[in-house]
Amino acid sequence: MMTYPALVDETRRRHLPKKRIDRLVIGPGVMRSSRPRITKTFQLHKLFLVYYTRPRVVLNGGFYNSLPPISKAYGTACLLATTALQFELYNPENVALVYSLVFTRFQVWRLFLNFFVLGKFSINFGIRLLMIARYGVQLEKGPFERRSADFLWMMLFGALSLLALSAIPFFWSPHLGISLVFMLLYVWSREFPTAQVNIYGLVSLKAFYLPWAMLALDVIFGSRIMPDLLGIIAGHLYYFLTVLYPLSSGKHILKTPNWVHKLVLQWGHAYQATGRPVQPERAADVAFRGRSYRLNSD
């Protein structure tokens, strides 16, 4: 990466006449010479800044390789499972969560394979996959940066919570992939509550209300409400146990187990021997502003 002065010199060399190079001095936003001030100075200054700092599309899988490991692995697994389902390589009923078959016929694969089923190729599938690529990635690169074990534990805890909730007949759902994605969305909305989100180019609202807006849209479009509702419940349970309750009581009752840290270490990522999640510093006297803030003590 070239430094700013080097960019200036290179731009002058390429785009300005040689006879005037020795008579120009370019500073931060100012161009002077022995002649009167040159017009459109700031436009030229902005030109080479935009030229050298403009975003470039990275080919050869650069975007995919830049994704954090856990979000990338889960998104890839969901894509492969959906592709196989689209080509009818398996029957979704064979991976549906049916507890009677799990305990009587020992079909234990139903306990985890159902989390990768997001349906066949459709608009809804595309939206769910984009949720993983956007909100899951932002979580893993933001509040969970250099905390891959904690992020993995959040996913595992969410999956276990969804399995427990689905044991209740009222909350039962055959496939919990949508619920797990919605849990990621809910946790993201609590970590970035004031971020502005635009829904389909029609409505702009704060991220704190996004899960409820998506829930309402799914109901309007005829989708089942239970998978989304399960994700919200699991996400709030995790956020309460890891953020809200520790802030109010000072006790951490949901810590990342050491075996998860060791698993991530073997995967090639950082490991903390204490097994205790690293909490960012929180500012006082601000209520419900995400992981980086503290609840109001009043």
Side-chain angles (χ1 to χ4, degrees):
M1 180 66 68
M2 299 179 64
T3 61
Y4 180 83
L7 290 178
V8 172
D9 294 339
E10 182 67 11
T11 304
R12 290 169 58 194
R13 184 183 67 80
R14 292 184 179 183
H15 301 287
L16 297 179
K18 293 183 178 180
K19 62 180 180 180
R20 296 186 55 192
I21 289 179
D22 58 345
R23 300 166 62 182
L24 295 176
V25 178
I26 301 180
V30 179
M31 180 183 294
R32 299 181 182 277
S33 71
S34 57
R35 298 181 181 182
R37 180 175 299 208
I38 300 176
T39 59
K40 299 183 179 180
T41 299
F42 293 97
Q43 287 81 352
L44 178 61
H45 184 69
K46 183 179 179 179
L47 174 64
F48 63 72
L49 280 180
V50 172
Y51 178 80
Y52 282 103
T53 60
R54 72 188 190 281
R56 294 174 172 82
V57 178
V58 181
L59 302 178
N60 299 326
F63 171 75
Y64 180 79
N65 293 331
S66 67
L67 296 176
I70 299 174
S71 298
K72 177 170 63 176
Y74 181 62
T76 302
C78 291
L79 179 60
L80 293 176
T82 301
T83 303
L85 179 61
Q86 185 70 27
F87 289 99
E88 299 181 352
L89 298 181
Y90 68 94
N91 189 335
E93 295 181 359
N94 294 333
V95 297
L97 180 62
V98 181
Y99 281 107
S100 60
L101 297 178
V102 171
F103 294 110
T104 59
R105 300 186 180 182
F106 302 102
Q107 297 180 359
V108 293
W109 63 83
R110 295 177 180 270
L111 294 176
F112 54 89
L113 289 183
N114 72 91
F115 287 103
F116 303 108
V117 179
L118 299 180
K120 292 187 176 182
F121 287 135
S122 62
I123 297 297
N124 287 334
F125 165 74
I127 293 175
R128 307 305 179 191
L129 198 62
L130 286 176
M131 284 183 179
I132 300 174
R134 176 177 174 83
Y135 305 122
V137 168
Q138 286 189 7
L139 280 174
E140 199 168 353
K141 286 187 174 181
F144 290 91
E145 186 179 10
R146 295 187 297 273
R147 295 171 54 211
S148 297
D150 294 334
F151 188 80
L152 178 59
W153 174 240
M154 180 192 71
M155 298 282 290
L156 294 176
F157 176 82
L160 294 174
S161 300
L162 292 172
L163 289 174
L165 289 171
S166 292
I168 304 174
F170 178 77
F171 290 117
W172 178 80
S173 182
H175 302 101
L176 297 175
I178 295 177
S179 301
L180 190 59
V181 173
F182 223 82
M183 176 198 169
L184 290 176
L185 172 63
Y186 183 85
V187 174
W188 177 87
S189 71
R190 300 305 302 265
E191 296 287 0
F192 304 93
T194 60
Q196 290 294 323
V197 180
N198 190 279
I199 300 180
Y200 302 133
L202 300 176
V203 180
S204 180
L205 73 164
K206 291 185 177 180
F208 183 84
Y209 305 103
L210 181 59
W212 305 104
M214 296 298 294
L215 176 66
L217 288 175
D218 283 346
V219 173
I220 293 174
F221 294 150
S223 300
R224 296 178 62 244
I225 188 176
M226 193 54 64
D228 296 355
L229 188 60
L230 284 174
I232 291 177
I233 295 175
H236 184 74
L237 180 62
Y238 172 82
Y239 192 80
F240 175 80
L241 294 177
T242 58
V243 178
L244 300 182
Y245 182 77
L247 286 176
S248 60
S249 65
K251 299 178 181 179
H252 296 270
I253 60 176
L254 185 64
K255 301 177 183 179
T256 303
N258 281 329
W259 66 266
V260 179
H261 285 285
K262 294 178 180 179
L263 178 64
V264 173
L265 177 63
Q266 293 179 355
W267 199 358
H269 295 274
Y271 164 63
Q272 290 180 327
T274 60
R276 184 171 182 172
V278 178
Q279 299 289 348
E281 296 182 358
R282 296 173 171 82
D285 301 327
V286 181
F288 297 99
R289 290 290 303 278
R291 185 181 297 271
S292 298
Y293 296 89
R294 178 175 298 166
L295 290 173
N296 198 323
S297 58
D298 296 338

